[in-house]
Amino acid sequence: LQDPQNQIIISPPPKTPPEITPMGGVQKYVQIDLKDTLQENTTYTYNFGQSIVDNNEGNPNNFLTYVFSTGDYIDTLTLGGVVADAFERNADPFISVMLYEIDSAFTDSVIYKQPPYYITNTLDSAVTFSLNNLKAGSYRLIALRDVGKNNVFDQGVDKIGFVPDTIVVPTDSIYLLRLFNEIQDYNVLPPSFAATNKIIFGYNGEDPPEISLLTQLPDSVSTLITKARDKDTLNLWITPYEADSLIFVLKHPRLESRLDTFNLKPVKSAKDSMLYSWDPSSGLNFTDTVFLNANLPLLELDTTKFTLLNKDSLKVALVPKLDTITNRVHLDFPRDPNEVYFLEVLPGALTDFFGDMNDTLRTRWNTGSPADYGNLRFSVQGNLEFPLIVELLDNRESLVRKKYVQEYKEIQFRSLTPGNYRIRIIFDANENGKWDTGNYLKKIQPERVLYYPGTIEMRANWEKVETFMISE
């Protein structure tokens, strides 16, 4: 037996898994010792997937299935379909596809509590599924990337896909299940000191909580709340202050009845010191946005202490702008080919929340020649509903550029580094400028995403024209 935990699917799933042997040994048989009482008049299916392999070469006995019934006949109806990832190009392996029988006791929340009546799964590279030996009836069809292997939906870790309508078996329909991560229900995590001057408040949900400090602070003590750039975390910064404890109340952004109170004891640790970083750090594309990032909240900016020179020591026009939301300085300046830019930031140019200022900061960027890059002209055709978000991805499928498109027109991605790229199209149905996931209980499907077939190779000093014809 090879990888039986992922490969062997029992339908209907037992409450207590059976003991399957041999595990780690070699035999000419597979023995299944049941630990549950079987249901009456029920067809059971044991699908071994590719778990049974020969001892010499590891060749699998593909999809061996053992079917038996505790009634007078074996159910023979089937249901099939395809699974896909709602956002990523490829679906995950080993997706569980589940049918819940709709009876008088059924509610949509049952998928959080109980295993389904029927279950199957996809294998390593397969995207199709088939549920066999079904009885006639009404069902709810869902798919899970069941991380915990417990046959129920765990919102925090599992991906889910579903068909919103009731499915009546027998049926000839082929069903598509698009898997997505839900935005987790609102919840707050206990706050903690990350440093003597910084408290972090983790949370789940679409909107952050509102934080109130009940402890009375002296007028000389200041606090500031900022949002972490890439995490569901709020940072509370506090100027030096000694206290036995700090009491916080976290309020749901819309529900007045949801209040969470925390009593936090300060810890003595080192104070965070200011760290700066440049984005990009060295090579500079003609289309790059340039930032000076800081790890502590910046409050003031003195633009007179920023100086940008080229390789001939001539001054270059520079416009620094402080963004207090993302806590970085945007550096806007014109770029010429085959140039070197030297930036010097004098002491006192940046003042953080604690009143500390920067020391002298220096960096440099090099630009190449336009002939070092390629230009891509891309258009989307077909009977489309706008707006669209057109995203350019690199060979690791990381976002490189994106365009917001509200009408039929050619899109240009200029000055692309040679390499292979992909195009992702997001149908922005609610016009909020981003991809929105779905929600099972609210019966909301994720926004539609399409990938341009194949890769687009860009070479230096090339201009390439591509058209994506979308038929439906």
Side-chain angles (χ1 to χ4, degrees), residues 121-237:
N121 73 348
T122 62
L123 297 178
D124 288 316
S125 58
V127 296
T128 60
F129 67 88
S130 179
L131 286 154
N132 302 316
N133 299 107
L134 310 179
K135 67 178 181 179
S138 298
Y139 298 93
R140 177 78 72 235
L141 176 63
I142 71 166
L144 292 182
R145 182 178 178 271
D146 188 11
V147 176
K149 305 297 180 187
N150 56 1
N151 297 325
V152 295
F153 178 40
D154 297 318
Q155 186 193 53
V157 295
D158 294 342
K159 286 184 179 180
I160 187 171
F162 66 94
V163 174
D165 301 323
T166 298
I167 292 176
V168 179
V169 177
T171 176
D172 294 328
S173 299
I174 302 297
Y175 295 94
L176 171 63
L177 294 161
R178 297 187 297 147
L179 282 93
F180 56 90
N181 287 114
E182 283 192 350
I183 294 176
Q184 294 187 50
D185 295 336
Y186 175 84
N187 190 32
V188 294
L189 307 177
S192 61
F193 274 89
T196 189
N197 57 344
K198 178 183 177 182
I199 305 171
I200 57 174
F201 295 81
Y203 65 92
N204 297 324
E206 191 168 6
D207 300 314
E210 299 171 3
I211 301 175
S212 299
L213 178 59
L214 297 187
T215 304
Q216 188 68 33
L217 298 178
D219 294 338
S220 59
V221 177
S222 299
T223 60
L224 176 69
I225 297 174
T226 61
K227 171 78 169 63
R229 191 174 301 157
D230 301 317
K231 297 185 292 185
D232 289 338
T233 301
L234 295 177
N235 298 323
L236 186 142
W237 308 89

Side-chain angles (χ1 to χ4, degrees), residues 52-289:
I52 299 178
V53 300
D54 76 70
N55 185 50
N56 295 327
E57 297 181 356
N59 298 316
N61 185 334
N62 284 320
F63 310 113
L64 177 67
T65 302
Y66 176 57
V67 182
F68 65 90
S69 175
T70 56
D72 296 332
Y73 60 91
I74 290 178
D75 296 315
T76 58
L77 299 177
T78 63
L79 183 150
V82 178
V83 297
D85 194 284
F87 189 73
E88 304 295 339
R89 186 168 57 92
N90 297 317
D92 296 306
F94 299 116
I95 299 300
S96 297
V97 182
M98 305 174 173
L99 268 183
Y100 282 85
E101 188 176 23
I102 297 179
D103 53 20
S104 59
F106 177 84
T107 63
D108 284 330
S109 62
V110 73
I111 70 167
Y112 299 87
K113 307 170 186 175
Q114 298 177 15
Y117 197 83
Y118 294 109
I119 185 170
T120 188
N121 73 348
T122 62
L123 297 178
D124 288 316
S125 58
V127 296
T128 60
F129 67 88
S130 179
L131 286 154
N132 302 316
N133 299 107
L134 310 179
K135 67 178 181 179
S138 298
Y139 298 93
R140 177 78 72 235
L141 176 63
I142 71 166
L144 292 182
R145 182 178 178 271
D146 188 11
V147 176
K149 305 297 180 187
N150 56 1
N151 297 325
V152 295
F153 178 40
D154 297 318
Q155 186 193 53
V157 295
D158 294 342
K159 286 184 179 180
I160 187 171
F162 66 94
V163 174
D165 301 323
T166 298
I167 292 176
V168 179
V169 177
T171 176
D172 294 328
S173 299
I174 302 297
Y175 295 94
L176 171 63
L177 294 161
R178 297 187 297 147
L179 282 93
F180 56 90
N181 287 114
E182 283 192 350
I183 294 176
Q184 294 187 50
D185 295 336
Y186 175 84
N187 190 32
V188 294
L189 307 177
S192 61
F193 274 89
T196 189
N197 57 344
K198 178 183 177 182
I199 305 171
I200 57 174
F201 295 81
Y203 65 92
N204 297 324
E206 191 168 6
D207 300 314
E210 299 171 3
I211 301 175
S212 299
L213 178 59
L214 297 187
T215 304
Q216 188 68 33
L217 298 178
D219 294 338
S220 59
V221 177
S222 299
T223 60
L224 176 69
I225 297 174
T226 61
K227 171 78 169 63
R229 191 174 301 157
D230 301 317
K231 297 185 292 185
D232 289 338
T233 301
L234 295 177
N235 298 323
L236 186 142
W237 308 89
I238 185 169
T239 54
Y241 172 64
E242 292 188 4
D244 294 332
S245 64
L246 297 173
I247 301 176
F248 295 94
V249 172
L250 276 60
K251 179 182 176 183
H252 188 282
R254 292 178 302 278
L255 300 177
E256 294 185 2
S257 59
R258 175 65 190 267
L259 298 175
D260 296 275
T261 303
F262 297 97
N263 191 329
L264 187 62
K265 292 185 177 182
V267 295
K268 290 185 178 182
S269 61
K271 175 186 173 183
D272 274 345
S273 57
M274 179 66 84
L275 299 174
Y276 297 99
S277 63
W278 308 94
D279 186 13
S281 58
S282 55
L284 186 61
N285 192 298
F286 299 111
T287 61
D288 281 340
T289 305

Side-chain angles (χ1 to χ4, degrees), residues 12-18 35-36 115:
K15 293 180 180 179
T16 303
K35 304 298 182 182
D36 269 347

Side-chain angles (χ1 to χ4, degrees), residues 446-467:
E447 287 182 327
R448 185 184 179 197
V449 173
L450 287 180
Y451 282 81
Y452 180 68
T455 60
I456 300 174
E457 182 187 8
M458 296 302 303
R459 298 183 182 180
N461 204 26
W462 266 30
E463 180 163 283
K464 200 162 192 180
V465 180
E466 297 283 345
T467 300

